[in-house]
Each structure stands twice: as C-alpha cells, then as structure tokens.
Amino acid sequence: MSLRLATFNVENLMTRFDFTGFRNQLRQDRVIQLFDVRSEGVYQQLEQARVIAATDDTRQMTALAIADADADILCLQEIDNMAALQAFEYGYLFRMVGNGYRQKYLVEGNDSRGIDVAVLMREETRDGRKIELRDIKSHAMLTYRDLDLFDEALGQNAHIDDKIFKRDCLELDLLIGGVPFTLYVVHFKSMGSPRDGLDGRQATMPVRRAEARAVRRIIENRFGAGQTPTKNFAICGDMNDYQERVDVIGTRRTGYRFEHKNETESALDAFSHDGFAENVMRRRDEMDRWTLYHARGPQEQWLCQLDYIWLSPALASVNAERQPEIIRHGQPFRTVFPPGQEVERYPRTGWDRPKASDHCPVVMTLDLK
C-alpha cells in the first residue's frame, strides 16, 4: 500500500488587499513605485488592479505544480484562510486534477500576516485505500514554559510565556487503509533581514531551533521517547533553514559555477543529530536537493532546501529505496539551474513573476506497513 505525500509553500494565497504600502514604501510593490501616486484612493485602485491582474497566471501555475506532484495528501503553507483554500481548490486546482481534494483542514495560527498551514487530502489514495482523519490538533498556543524550551539566546525581547510557534504545528492523526500514520505540518520562523551584527539566518536561528525542538518534544510526548523509532510519522513544511546549500557564483554574462557547502549549524539539527528523523532529500545528489533560489545581486546567490519531508526511522527504513521528487517547472526564469537540471517552465512564466511560487513542491511515494 502506497501514499503520495507532498509539501508546498504556495506563497501568499491571500483573499485580502494590502494597502499599507501607501504610507510605508517598504510594503509597496515595486511596479507602483514607478509612478507618482499621491492619492490614497487612487493607490488602492491601482493596487487592487495589480493584484487581480497578476493573480490568475500565478494561481494557474500553482495549480499546475500541485497537479504535477499528484499527491494524495498535500501539506500547504502561506494560506490566508479556509475561504481562500476552497476558492483556489474549486476555481483552479479542480480544473487541473479533476478529482479534487475533498478533505481540507486549516486552523488559524499565530502569524502576524494571517498566513496559516493547511492540509488537503483525497478521500482515497491512488490505489484505492481510504484516507481517514481520526483527530486533528493545533499546537499554536504552546509556550516556551509549557515545553521548558526557553533559552536566553532567544533575545532580550523574548519571554518565557511567548508562543513557541510563529505559525503552528498542526498534528493530524490518520488511518491510511487502516494503517496508523501521524502527520506534523509546520512553517518555521522566516530568516528576515540582518540585525544586531548577524545575518538574518543567524539572528533568527534560536527561534527556529526552539520550534524544531518543540516539534520533537510533541512527538516524543505523544508516542514516548523510546517508541518514536517504531512509529509511522512525517514532519512536513517550510522550515526556513538549511543544513547545506549550493553557492551560485557568476553572472549571466560570465557564466556560472556551483559549489556545495555544508553549514556548521542549523535549527534542523534537532531532528537529525541522533537519527530522530531522516531528511529524505539527502538521498538525492548533493547538487540536486534545492527547493528555493535565493539572490540579492551577483555577490549573494545560492540554492538551498527550505522545504522538507522528514520521516520517522520506521517509515524511512520501509522506504529505503525511494527518493523524493522536486517539482521545479513553476520556478521563474531568473532561477539559476545547475547543468543537467533545467526543466521546461509552465506557460507564461516570467523572469521574476508570474511563477507558481518562490518555493518548489516536494513529493514522495511512501509504502506504509
């Protein structure tokens, strides 16, 4: 019996317009900055027109990427609300895949922008096994005190009674053809901008490290620390950190070369350092594990994995011969692909936008026992 499991940060699946850019240029879209807009009413009209004009192509590509993943269970990040998820599934995804995802789950989390994690599930797997939800639990209200995870490294502004998860850790207790399977869906703290003499990744790593430790603690509390290796669980989502990257060196004019680099520390070491879970992307070639292209000019560009399917030791062992797939057809043309990895982009893909997302879907076929 097999299950196709996927994760995808769809990048701002929103139902709201953001008009704060009229007073805060840091929130203003770059195309509107080209024009002298002095009236807030005119600004709002232009912003609405811009968003609506750009969204249709974007969401067609998002749906194409999801259709190519062809997952039975799809973990999503950056969803505005259930209304947005339903409108997207009915208006776009259903047109791509036909037999839609009838089971939809979303719980409002802690994100200040209102973006949440969600799960779409078919009623049956592709081989006809029933997918049943036994229980769903949000862990958004957990604090550092609750799990004894407060650390001075979190910074002077952190408090022991602050919520651990900046979005949520959504736990789904499932039966797949009668076989127990537990799914944890997360979207960890973003890296942000440099601060206090540190780059954005280092400055925010203590928060993500606490989130990863919290996920581990939740799983150990659920099954018992000594029992976790024998259980069927997966941790999926955008974890906004990486343990390795591929530096992209050069320009379009001079050409590119690529150098693999291991990081000395990562928030995700909490999962990997003692074999608690396996990052199955490591089964692919080290130059071909990336799910996002980061660039701030020619001097700062790299490919890295931010999107993960971590498997329990039991699941990893049963699926030792399988590898995850990465759907990269929705990447914009500015993304630099290492030699041999180029793909055909979806119709109407732009240099930077429109695109399916800044992230790539990751999907894996799993045997369950």
Side-chain angles (χ1 to χ4, degrees):
M1 178 180 64
S2 65
L3 168 76
R4 275 183 72 83
L5 175 66
T7 184
F8 188 20
N9 181 329
V10 298
E11 190 180 13
N12 295 327
L13 181 59
M14 309 291 277
T15 59
R16 296 165 285 135
F17 297 105
D18 181 1
F19 299 128
T20 58
F22 181 72
R23 291 182 170 81
N24 181 359
Q25 284 204 341
L26 294 176
R27 302 291 297 275
Q28 191 174 116
D29 188 81
R30 59 182 182 257
V31 71
I32 292 184
Q33 292 178 2
L34 294 172
F35 299 90
D36 184 14
V37 182
R38 301 185 182 184
S39 163
E40 186 167 6
V42 171
Y43 175 84
Q44 292 183 2
Q45 291 176 335
L46 290 172
E47 177 62 13
Q48 291 178 80
R50 180 195 70 80
V51 171
I52 290 173
T55 296
D56 186 52
D57 280 342
T58 296
R59 292 313 164 200
Q60 288 191 62
M61 294 177 199
T62 305
L64 276 168
I66 292 173
D68 282 347
D70 192 23
D72 300 313
I73 299 178
L74 177 64
C75 308
L76 297 173
Q77 299 87 50
E78 297 201 12
I79 306 297
D80 194 3
N81 50 42
M82 182 58 78
L85 187 58
Q86 289 174 330
F88 169 71
E89 194 274 337
Y90 178 76
Y92 289 87
L93 188 54
F94 182 78
R95 293 173 182 269
M96 302 291 180
V97 301
N99 182 22
Y101 291 87
R102 295 181 180 272
Q103 302 186 72
K104 305 176 183 66
Y105 303 100
L106 181 150
V107 178
E108 297 291 333
N110 300 323
D111 187 87
S112 59
R113 292 195 295 134
I115 54 173
D116 300 304
V117 299
V119 178
L120 294 179
M121 302 195 307
R122 300 188 186 279
E123 293 182 303
E124 295 181 343
T125 65
R126 293 184 305 162
D127 55 7
R129 301 304 180 102
K130 189 174 182 180
I131 301 175
E132 301 175 73
L133 177 71
R134 296 197 295 184
D135 193 19
I136 184 169
K137 184 185 297 183
S138 166
H139 295 283
M141 301 307 293
L142 283 176
T143 67
Y144 295 113
R145 186 190 299 274
D146 291 332
L147 294 181
D148 191 25
L149 287 174
F150 188 75
D151 189 330
E152 295 297 331
L154 291 164
Q156 296 180 349
N157 295 325
H159 190 274
I160 193 171
D161 290 314
D162 289 344
K163 297 182 181 71
I164 295 176
F165 294 109
K166 300 311 169 188
R167 281 93 179 190
D168 197 359
C169 172
L170 196 61
E171 178 180 353
L172 289 85
D173 185 17
L174 304 167
L175 284 177
I176 313 296
V179 177
F181 172 61
T182 307
L183 180 62
Y184 298 87
V185 187
V186 300
H187 185 187
F188 287 170
K189 169 71 176 175
S190 59
M191 296 187 207
S193 302
R195 69 202 73 174
D196 302 326
L198 298 173
D199 64 33
R201 178 171 177 264
Q202 290 294 328
T204 54
M205 189 177 294
V207 178
R208 286 189 301 280
R209 183 182 292 115
E211 290 180 305
R213 289 173 175 171
V215 173
R216 177 167 178 161
R217 191 74 55 84
I218 288 166
I219 295 172
E220 290 173 338
N221 289 345
R222 162 76 188 278
F223 297 117
Q227 294 300 311
T228 56
T230 67
K231 303 300 181 181
N232 287 339
F233 69 81
I235 311 164
C236 296
D238 173 5
M239 302 190 183
N240 272 315
D241 209 344
Y242 49 87
Q243 295 177 308
E244 58 183 347
R245 74 188 199 202
V246 175
D247 287 342
V248 180
I249 303 163
T251 66
R252 292 182 67 204
R253 185 181 65 82
T254 62
Y256 297 100
R257 59 186 176 90
F258 303 85
E259 293 184 0
H260 179 267
K261 174 184 177 182
N262 287 310
E263 297 295 325
T264 57
E265 64 173 338
S266 168
L268 306 179
D269 296 343
F271 296 149
S272 64
H273 79 277
D274 61 353
F276 173 77
E278 181 185 338
N279 172 19
V280 288
M281 195 73 84
R282 291 271 183 162
R283 300 177 182 182
R284 296 173 64 100
D285 183 82
E286 65 182 17
M287 302 294 285
D288 193 20
R289 299 168 182 166
W290 60 274
T291 66
L292 180 134
Y293 170 65
H294 165 87
R296 289 180 178 169
Q299 302 307 313
E300 182 179 314
Q301 50 184 342
W302 58 74
L303 300 159
C304 60
Q305 181 191 3
L306 296 188
D307 306 275
Y308 293 81
I309 297 176
W310 291 84
L311 297 183
S312 67
L315 266 182
S317 176
V318 169
N319 293 278
E321 302 303 315
R322 294 191 180 272
Q323 290 188 8
E325 305 163 38
I326 308 170
I327 311 299
R328 296 184 176 132
H329 305 275
Q331 282 288 290
F333 280 96
R334 74 180 185 92
T335 301
V336 182
F337 283 66
Q341 296 182 24
E342 297 86 353
V343 297
E344 181 181 357
R345 307 306 211 282
Y346 296 135
R348 297 174 66 86
T349 297
W351 174 251
D352 181 53
R353 60 186 184 186
K355 58 184 181 294
S357 171
D358 51 348
H359 294 250
C360 299
V362 177
V363 60
M364 187 171 181
T365 299
L366 300 174
D367 291 322
L368 295 177
K369 293 182 180 181

